[in-house]
Amino acid sequence: MTSAPLPRILRRRGEPEYPTFLELFFDLVYIFLLSRLSASLGESLTVRNAAQTAVLLLAAWWVWVLTAWLTDLFNPRLPIIQATVLLVMLGTLLMAIATPYAFGRYGWLFVAAYFGIHLVRDAVLIPGTRVNRPIQARSIRVFFWFGITVTPWVAGVFVDETARLVLWSLAVAVDLGSARFGWPTPGLGRTELASQIFTGVHLSERHRAIFIVALGELILSTGTGLAGSGFTAGQVTASAVAFVSAVLLFQLYFQRVQRILAPPSVTTVERVRSGTSTSYTHLVMVAGVVLVSTGTSMVIARPSGHTPVDVMVAILGGPVLFLFGSVLFDAVVTARILWSRVLAIVLLAVVLLCALVAPSTFRLPPLTVLVVANLVLLLTLAGEGLAARRRRAEVTAPAR
């Protein structure tokens, strides 16, 4: 993959593949961005607002993914790459500032920051790789597809909210979809994503880091909600249960990651080939944590009384989305279905369905709904732990 004319800009074989401090510093801006998304969604739990939040999250996620891929392929210790990452971080901060008003008066700021990020990155990478055509072609392909989506992104700034949602949904779908197929470009072909464009360890660590950031936002919203409350018994209890939600999500994610990535059967090649797919599955899990944050914030604000349908959807939908993303991740890495989490999804869906079909019978207060969601997560975690210990016992048991 590397060539003699480019000994510095590319990440060399054998170099440490773990994220640098700069990459972890870059991730910090996403705590702010995710908190803005969560708060905006909590202000209006409508289908329209959920769709708008999803579009903004997809755009922000795409910036993070391309930055992770940037430092995966190119040397993150090189000053020009470090400067690029810092400029991308600044642009992401501007996107976060514009997020609550992106479908209003600050749509232009969101789009300007989004494309400013991509222009800065490509302005560095395309000239910097000119002596190595195969590497340069990758950056040109990405730039070509952003040239296509710039039209709906910019056009959306000048229309009303409904038309803006349609145009931006199309644009972000093309942004992510074109990558899935290797950015096919006239005259340049497409990038083979199963090639050595990715290193397994580095991207795996980057995905873990961004999930920790999402949990950090959940902790932040929990603390902020309690600090701004009246410290009633119900609100303090709700905050404690919300904290338990964060702990359960943490355990469900990292215990499973350790089990499926630790065995030698999961080779580096397999991790490389699933690089793009694991990014998409982590997007689903992070979206689930953002929705959990929205739900827990609403529970802390109002832990008692009847739970409206939209609030119940947020409380139960967050864990469902997280579990669904973890099932997809497991399927990508191991080619197997994690049935314990499928069962948990079904249980949460049944609770939600019962509340929708018979609201007079299932008049549960928000805090109770949150406790039910946590119980399902706890049972799933305990069941998987017992199953793992049983398998280890069977492996280590002496043959009779």
Side-chain angles (χ1 to χ4, degrees), residues 59-70:
W61 180 261
W62 193 226
V63 170
W64 183 88
V65 168
L66 288 178
T67 306
W69 290 353
L70 166 70

Side-chain angles (χ1 to χ4, degrees), residues 5 25 35 45 51 95 102 132 160 165 192 194 251 264 272 313 332-334 385 398:
F25 177 63
S35 68
L45 286 175
M95 288 175 61
N132 187 300
D160 60 25
L165 177 59
E192 292 293 337
Q251 293 290 341
V272 170
V313 170
V332 167
V333 177
T334 69

Side-chain angles (χ1 to χ4, degrees), residues 142-289:
V142 176
F143 182 75
F144 171 81
W145 279 95
F146 277 119
I148 292 176
T149 60
V150 67
T151 300
W153 276 113
V154 173
V157 174
F158 300 99
V159 295
D160 60 25
E161 286 189 17
T162 301
R164 184 177 301 182
L165 177 59
V166 172
L167 288 171
W168 285 7
S169 298
L170 172 64
V172 79
V174 173
D175 282 342
L176 274 70
S178 60
R180 190 67 184 87
F181 297 99
W183 303 283
T185 303
L188 292 176
R190 66 188 187 93
T191 299
E192 292 293 337
L193 298 181
S195 65
Q196 295 179 349
I197 185 175
F198 303 126
T199 58
V201 173
H202 178 259
L203 274 186
S204 178
E205 293 295 328
R206 296 297 289 123
H207 288 136
R208 298 184 202 190
I210 194 61
F211 187 79
I212 283 288
V213 164
L215 291 178
E217 190 283 319
L218 175 55
I219 296 295
L220 175 65
S221 66
T222 299
T224 303
L226 180 59
S229 71
F231 286 93
T232 65
Q235 290 172 321
V236 172
T237 303
S239 299
V241 176
F243 178 76
V244 172
S245 298
V247 173
L248 289 172
L249 293 174
F250 171 82
Q251 293 290 341
L252 283 165
Y253 177 80
F254 280 95
Q255 286 194 17
R256 189 58 190 167
V257 165
Q258 289 173 354
R259 289 183 188 126
I260 65 178
L261 294 186
S265 58
V266 183
T267 64
T268 301
V269 173
E270 288 171 329
R271 297 176 194 175
V272 170
R273 290 177 177 174
S274 62
T276 53
S277 297
T278 52
S279 291
Y280 294 138
T281 60
H282 276 77
L283 165 61
V284 178
M285 287 188 278
V286 168
V289 176

Side-chain angles (χ1 to χ4, degrees), residues 12-140:
R12 295 183 180 182
R13 292 182 182 273
E15 285 186 338
E17 295 179 343
Y18 292 97
T20 62
F21 288 125
L22 177 63
E23 293 172 85
L24 300 178
F25 177 63
F26 167 79
D27 287 346
L28 293 179
V29 75
Y30 274 81
I31 297 179
F32 177 53
L33 191 148
L34 294 178
S35 68
R36 301 279 277 183
L37 289 173
S38 175
S40 298
L41 181 59
E43 291 177 0
S44 177
L45 286 175
T46 62
V47 174
R48 174 193 287 272
N49 194 34
Q52 292 176 347
T53 303
V55 168
L56 299 178
L57 174 61
L58 288 171
W61 180 261
W62 193 226
V63 170
W64 183 88
V65 168
L66 288 178
T67 306
W69 290 353
L70 166 70
T71 54
D72 188 72
L73 179 62
F74 297 92
N75 185 0
R77 293 168 178 79
L78 199 64
I80 187 63
I81 299 300
Q82 293 178 343
T84 302
V85 171
L86 289 174
L87 287 173
V88 171
M89 185 178 182
L90 175 60
T92 307
L93 179 62
L94 294 176
M95 288 175 61
I97 292 171
T99 288
Y101 319 102
F103 283 87
R105 63 184 183 275
Y106 285 150
W108 65 270
L109 178 59
F110 187 88
V111 172
Y114 182 67
F115 275 95
I117 288 169
H118 301 309
L119 287 175
V120 166
R121 186 190 59 250
D122 292 330
V124 171
L125 298 185
I126 293 177
T129 55
R130 61 185 176 275
V131 297
N132 187 300
R133 292 293 297 173
I135 299 297
Q136 186 186 53
R138 293 170 177 170
S139 298
I140 294 176

Side-chain angles (χ1 to χ4, degrees), residues 237 241 315 366-377:
T237 303
V241 176
I315 297 172
L367 180 56
T368 302
V369 178
L370 183 59
V371 169
V372 169
N374 278 0
L375 284 175
V376 173
L377 295 178

